[in-house]
Amino acid sequence: MIRLGEATAATLPAVARFRYDRTAVRTGIVHLGTGAFHRAHQAMVYEQALAAGDLRWGVLGASLRSPTVRDQLMPQDGLYCVLVRDGEREQVQLVGAIQDVLVAPEDPAKLVAAMASPDTHIVTLTVTEKGYKLDPATGVLITDDPDLAVDLASLAAPRTAPGLIVAALQARRAAGLKPFTAMSCDNLPHNGTRLRNAVLALALRHDPDLCAWIEGEGAFPETMVDRIVPATEPSDIAALAAKIGVEDRAMVKTEPFTQWVVQDRFAGERPDLAAFGVQLTTAVAPWEEAKLRLLNGAHSGIAYLGGLAGIDFVHQFVALSAGRAFVDALWDEAAPTLSPPPELDIASYRAELMARFANSALHHRTRQIAMDGSQKLPQRLLGGIQSRLERGQPVGALALAVAAWMRWQEGRDDAGQSFAVDDPLAARTAAAAALPAEQAVRGLLAIDAIFPPALAANDSFAGQLTRLLDGLRQKGARAMIEGNAEWRMIDRE
Ligand code: CS2
């Protein structure tokens, strides 16, 4: 089948396509981590800027590890389709914002040079939680990470996102340019501050003057990003090909909803973000906390319980009345721990989230969300648990979600099927999870990169986790969700 590309794009039926002149677009953005989420989220905003005639905002994408995305996109001249799916409805939009994709390990100097170009004003990142090389519980740089160790020793060929940023800022300073704005778009609490801390700590090791310059002139806005973007599957590519007549191996599928809240703090030029639906604000944290603890917290609970129970997709989990009741119970516990922004009505936010989870056209795999739990648990579940326990409030559904994560570390589901636990700490968690429930819970709670010491030392919480883990092992996740006595009645308010 013919591949999507400049030559075929003009002829596509049923596809909304851009009208700006791609040859006149400049590269104002470098994006690190050009996966599906970037293509369905930030790139769509840059695309709107281009469509509105501001041609400064083309994107140079970069992959920090594998050539996969470059090999999907560049044979298509960087073009790809965004498929927005909602029940029976489907819309296809062709996106032209990505001009090129570099694979950092192939030529890190080329990427650093592009980041140091006077045209580059913003560097955005979606490198996942683990890409920041920060301890998930404390946010401190993990200096014994092998890639970071290379960047700590030399910035000649950076391997990490913080390394690339420091090297590029060093080059900009040497060239007499201003810093770019470095904007994390990952689901981390205080993502801007975390990125800034990682960059400053690394810069300090190399050059205290550079560090002071970044501290004074750099900008690392906090952001909250939200759009559900399930991994593209071969059947999605085949279905789109049947519809539009060309093959698009870089397509992404997503939901209608999209939200980007950005702290209004930039080092230099930026697109007119507010005109393209971005919420600019001084306080991102309240948005971020609500999104992490409600959307992502529920997602992780669904991922582990659903994954163990053999439920493949999020929409199937919330189609079960017990599944929906579990999500509601988790939200009942998490909601009072939030300080939501005045514009956010939690009741309608919850209703909207449940409807988004129920979108049966997305096929969002529980297995996809289960990935990297060690990096996700603190901000999604543990923060809310800690805040409740400190106030003497009980936890049930939140604890069940953590117990399900513990059971997941065994690498075997309730039907006895084994799977690889996809997580940078998998070796450590697997060793602990293989033990009898009480020791397993103690061993996992002792991993201080995940669990804050105060929570690990809470005996009553450990006892509750032990009972829940035992229940999950004996009865299975499905029975635990359905026969909700173990977690609903435990210490219920
Ligand atoms: C999900 C998120 O995979 C996951 O961990 O919880 O990717 C989620 O879909 C997005 O944060 C939604 O904005």
Side-chain angles (χ1 to χ4, degrees):
M1 161 137 337
I2 299 173
R3 194 86 175 261
L4 173 66
E6 286 284 3
T8 48
T11 63
L12 300 181
V15 174
R17 64 153 294 154
F18 53 87
R19 296 182 193 285
Y20 58 85
D21 173 9
R22 273 187 108 206
T23 61
V25 171
R26 297 205 302 279
T27 308
I29 308 278
V30 173
H31 184 85
L32 307 182
T34 317
F37 183 69
H38 169 68
R39 282 175 269 154
H41 190 272
Q42 306 94 53
M44 300 293 282
V45 172
Y46 305 143
E47 178 77 0
Q48 286 188 66
L50 299 174
D54 186 353
L55 299 183
R56 292 172 298 168
W57 305 109
V59 179
L60 171 70
S63 294
L64 267 50
R65 291 190 304 257
S66 88
T68 310
V69 171
R70 189 260 323 268
D71 296 347
Q72 289 165 341
L73 268 170
M74 294 326 293
Q76 304 182 177
D77 307 312
L79 296 175
Y80 65 98
C81 291
V82 174
L83 213 79
V84 176
R85 282 192 185 153
D86 188 11
E88 298 293 296
R89 282 193 301 273
E90 186 171 278
Q91 275 180 344
V92 189
Q93 183 183 343
L94 183 72
V95 178
I98 298 183
Q99 299 175 284
D100 199 359
V101 179
L102 299 181
V103 182
E106 290 176 2
D107 192 350
K110 187 170 179 192
L111 176 55
V112 169
M115 293 163 78
S117 149
D119 274 351
T120 300
H121 303 295
I122 301 176
V123 172
T124 38
L125 297 88
T126 50
V127 293
T128 79
E129 294 86 345
K130 60 180 181 263
Y132 293 83
K133 307 298 175 189
L134 296 168
D135 183 282
T138 61
V140 171
L141 214 55
I142 311 171
T143 46
D144 59 0
D145 175 274
D147 289 332
L148 192 67
V150 170
D151 292 358
L152 283 163
S154 160
L155 290 172
R159 291 197 185 174
T160 67
L164 288 160
I165 290 176
V166 174
L169 289 175
Q170 189 173 44
R172 291 181 82 93
R173 181 164 177 251
L177 294 171
K178 284 203 287 191
F180 46 69
T181 300
M183 187 146 70
S184 164
C185 299
D186 281 293
N187 286 317
L188 285 169
H190 307 290
N191 54 8
T193 304
R194 285 197 182 214
L195 175 61
R196 181 172 187 268
N197 290 345
V199 166
L200 291 179
L202 187 57
L204 186 62
R205 289 284 195 109
H206 288 285
D207 177 355
D209 289 344
L210 173 67
C211 178
W213 179 75
I214 299 172
E215 208 167 2
E217 316 236 333
F220 299 84
E222 314 277 1
T223 68
M224 183 274 251
V225 290
D226 189 6
R227 190 167 215 188
I228 294 174
V229 187
T232 304
E233 308 209 0
S235 57
D236 297 316
I237 295 173
L240 182 65
K243 179 169 176 151
I244 66 173
V246 295
E247 186 183 46
D248 175 5
R249 292 194 200 158
M251 63 153 283
V252 292
K253 60 173 176 178
T254 188
E255 59 176 344
F257 183 94
T258 185
Q259 188 177 21
W260 195 2
V261 185
V262 173
Q263 184 184 19
D264 199 352
R265 183 200 282 165
F266 286 78
E269 294 175 38
R270 59 171 162 92
D272 184 3
L273 294 169
F276 311 123
V278 176
Q279 292 165 251
L280 291 166
T281 170
T282 48
V284 174
W287 289 100
E288 185 176 58
E289 191 181 66
K291 191 255 171 176
L292 286 168
R293 290 190 186 173
L294 297 177
L295 187 157
N296 297 112
H299 252 176
S300 289
I302 292 170
Y304 300 116
L305 288 162
L308 289 167
I311 300 170
D312 289 334
F313 300 112
V314 172
H315 73 271
Q316 294 172 329
F317 188 97
V318 298
L320 301 170
S321 63
R324 192 172 273 252
F326 164 80
V327 170
D328 265 320
L330 187 141
W331 287 341
D332 285 345
E333 292 176 12
T337 72
L338 304 171
S339 329
E343 306 93 300
L344 185 68
D345 175 59
I346 294 291
S348 14
Y349 187 60
R350 283 175 57 161
E352 187 178 31
L353 281 182
M354 196 64 100
R356 292 171 62 195
F357 288 175
N359 184 343
S360 61
L362 281 182
H363 289 97
H364 195 191
R365 287 192 187 271
T366 48
R367 188 62 66 84
Q368 181 185 344
I369 303 168
M371 204 176 111
D372 288 347
S374 68
Q375 314 291 305
K376 295 174 174 173
L377 240 52
Q379 56 274 22
R380 297 180 176 208
L381 298 169
L382 305 181
I385 291 177
Q386 245 193 317
S387 129
R388 287 184 69 85
L389 295 181
E390 276 160 15
R391 292 188 237 162
Q393 295 166 337
V395 289
L398 286 167
L400 181 62
V402 175
W405 169 80
M406 292 180 156
R407 165 103 171 100
W408 184 261
Q409 306 312 305
E410 292 169 38
R412 192 178 313 250
D413 70 14
D414 292 342
Q417 291 283 337
S418 55
F419 53 84
V421 176
D422 194 344
D423 192 302
L425 298 187
R428 282 181 76 185
T429 58
L435 299 170
E438 193 178 340
Q439 287 147 273
V441 167
R442 288 281 172 207
L444 289 164
L445 285 175
I447 302 179
D448 61 7
I450 308 174
F451 293 94
L455 198 56
N458 185 322
D459 288 334
S460 124
F461 181 56
Q464 184 182 11
L465 287 175
T466 303
R467 290 192 296 280
L468 291 169
L469 179 58
D470 226 17
L472 287 166
R473 285 178 176 181
Q474 307 301 327
K475 301 182 203 169
R478 188 135 187 172
M480 286 295 280
I481 316 165
E482 280 165 0
N484 57 24
E486 280 92 339
W487 51 274
R488 271 228 186 237
M489 303 311 290
I490 287 178
D491 307 320
R492 192 90 189 138
E493 278 155 294

